[in-house]
Amino acid sequence: MHAQPVEGAAKPGLLRQPMSVWATAFAAVVAFMGIGLVDPILPAIAKNLKATPSQVSLLFTSYFLITAVAMLITGWVSSRIGGKRTLMIGLTLVVLFAALAGTSDTVGQLVGFRAGWGLGNALFVATALAVIVGAASGGAESAIILYEAALGIGISLGPLVGALLGDMNWRFPFFGTAILMAVGFVLIATLLKPTPKPAEKTPLSAPIRALGHGGLKTTAFTALFYNYAFFTVLAWTPFVLHMNAHGIGLVFFGWGVMVALASVFGAPALQRRIGTVRVMHLALALLIVFQLGLATLGHTGIIVSTILSGIPIGLNNTAFTEAAMEVSDNPRPVASAGYNFVRWLGGGIAPYFGSKLAERFSDSTPYYIGAACCAVAIGILVVRRRHLESLERVDIDHTFQDEALPAKA
């Protein structure tokens, strides 16, 4: 059940959070940096390790497929050892495998180490959302905005850091991530109080059973097709930009800034005005436009389309995350695990499948498939719209909370 707002109640400031929340958010920023970190150096990795684009794309595929499967065990683990220990185990694995990735001599080794990195990232990311929701002031909405802000900042900084370090040596971004994650480990170890274990231990089957809920299933499978389009942009575009590491890094920095701004400011405002489901429709339609721009325009058009595609991606990231948290009565960690298991499959399939299509047909083919996936996602939302009716109540609650705030002097 969603608590009804109290008329006249003051809403806690979004930035007034306990230090433990900021420590977790910092580590989350670094974790999400790892997603886009390799973007600027993909061509350099392919050149230095004598690999094809599709082979290099397996850095994303191994990372996200392992992340997806590992999501199924995050709740089982954290309910037995507690959220703080789960975060620290996840961070330890990321530090270890990011450092090992920097020592790779073959693309096979690099892909394998990225898989281990994905396991650590899954344990950390899924638990971080639950920890932030539990510790943040201002309720679930503020916590999700903070989480999406961390995602946006991390995704935007990742390509920039990757470009700066990768320009010196393609191995340095991996070592840099290991160092930053070690800092995050120290901050969480010292600032985050041990989180209490849940009264009931989460069974391994809980995330799969949670997907039996019509609303969560609809959200998750819509997000699967959306994430296919999302990671087509992220994983294939570095190869069609035909730029050096600095150029790719700057383009994706601009893209990441759009993701962050749309996640933190655009999505909440639009959700209050037109509702979460309509935000999804709007963002998916915009992403189709930018995918077609990537497929059909010249070099300048590709750069502009890449950067602007961050807007619908940011809108969707917040809308889908909040929908997954609110649409069912499942505990949030369980709902998050089931949702992320399905949606990350899209992120795992897209890089390799898209690059193989490009090698077989043309550089534009992955974007046409990405646009088609967005159209399928819209179709799912339309056909199964009755399963998302409960989100209207959440949107109304958010609007009521805003109207109940005292007017500024």
Side-chain angles (χ1 to χ4, degrees), residues 117-208:
W117 187 341
L119 172 61
N121 200 62
L123 290 170
F124 175 80
V125 168
T127 311
L129 177 56
V131 168
I132 290 174
V133 167
S137 59
E141 184 186 11
S142 293
I144 289 170
I145 292 173
L146 279 172
Y147 181 80
E148 291 301 331
L151 188 154
I153 293 169
I155 283 183
S156 62
L157 289 179
L160 201 59
V161 172
L164 292 173
L165 295 178
D167 192 52
M168 295 180 280
N169 189 300
W170 69 265
R171 299 177 187 274
F172 287 0
F174 298 108
F175 294 134
T177 299
I179 292 170
L180 288 172
M181 271 306 208
V183 173
F185 179 94
V186 172
L187 288 174
I188 287 177
T190 55
L191 296 176
L192 181 63
K193 295 178 181 178
T195 52
K197 299 176 185 177
E200 297 183 6
K201 294 179 179 178
T202 302
L204 274 173
S205 60
I208 297 296

Side-chain angles (χ1 to χ4, degrees), residues 33-355:
M33 279 174 58
I35 295 176
L37 185 84
V38 298
D39 257 34
I41 56 173
L42 287 177
I45 291 173
K47 180 181 178 181
N48 282 276
L49 297 182
K50 297 179 174 59
T52 65
S54 60
Q55 289 174 325
V56 173
S57 74
L58 288 171
L59 270 70
F60 285 103
T61 295
S62 64
Y63 180 85
F64 287 118
L65 287 183
I66 294 299
T67 296
V69 175
M71 286 293 174
L72 298 177
I73 68 167
T74 55
W76 183 86
V77 172
S78 63
S79 67
R80 283 159 176 77
I81 66 174
K84 180 175 180 176
R85 288 180 179 175
T86 305
L87 289 177
M88 294 176 72
I89 290 172
L91 287 169
T92 300
L93 289 173
V94 173
V95 170
L96 173 64
F97 284 105
L100 287 172
T103 68
S104 300
D105 293 319
T106 67
V107 72
Q109 290 176 354
L110 190 52
V111 169
F113 292 140
R114 280 282 285 182
W117 187 341
L119 172 61
N121 200 62
L123 290 170
F124 175 80
V125 168
T127 311
L129 177 56
V131 168
I132 290 174
V133 167
S137 59
E141 184 186 11
S142 293
I144 289 170
I145 292 173
L146 279 172
Y147 181 80
E148 291 301 331
L151 188 154
I153 293 169
I155 283 183
S156 62
L157 289 179
L160 201 59
V161 172
L164 292 173
L165 295 178
D167 192 52
M168 295 180 280
N169 189 300
W170 69 265
R171 299 177 187 274
F172 287 0
F174 298 108
F175 294 134
T177 299
I179 292 170
L180 288 172
M181 271 306 208
V183 173
F185 179 94
V186 172
L187 288 174
I188 287 177
T190 55
L191 296 176
L192 181 63
K193 295 178 181 178
T195 52
K197 299 176 185 177
E200 297 183 6
K201 294 179 179 178
T202 302
L204 274 173
S205 60
I208 297 296
R209 287 192 284 108
L211 290 169
H213 185 278
L216 187 60
K217 183 190 299 180
T218 300
T219 303
F221 280 92
T222 306
L224 184 153
F225 286 96
Y226 153 62
N227 270 265
Y228 184 100
F230 173 176
F231 286 98
T232 295
V233 175
L234 193 64
W236 177 241
T237 306
F239 291 104
V240 301
L241 284 171
H242 302 297
M243 301 170 75
N244 60 22
H246 278 296
I248 296 171
L250 286 173
V251 169
F252 276 96
F253 173 70
W255 170 85
V257 169
M258 293 297 103
V259 172
L261 292 175
S263 296
V264 177
F265 301 107
L270 283 172
Q271 283 175 277
R272 288 190 289 269
R273 284 161 179 76
I274 64 175
T276 298
V277 177
R278 289 190 181 92
V279 170
M280 294 177 184
H281 280 284
L282 172 64
L284 288 167
L286 281 174
L287 192 51
I288 289 175
V289 172
F290 295 128
Q291 293 267 358
L292 294 177
L294 284 162
T296 60
L297 298 177
H299 189 254
T300 301
I302 290 173
I303 292 173
V304 172
S305 295
T306 301
I307 294 172
L308 293 182
S309 70
I311 296 172
I313 287 171
L315 294 176
N316 265 336
N317 284 349
T318 296
F320 274 104
T321 300
E322 186 158 335
M325 295 296 99
E326 303 288 352
V327 75
S328 73
D329 292 328
N330 291 291
R332 287 193 174 104
V334 173
S336 175
Y339 162 73
N340 279 299
F341 164 65
V342 175
R343 74 143 173 165
W344 286 124
L345 290 175
I349 295 168
Y352 182 73
F353 188 61
S355 59

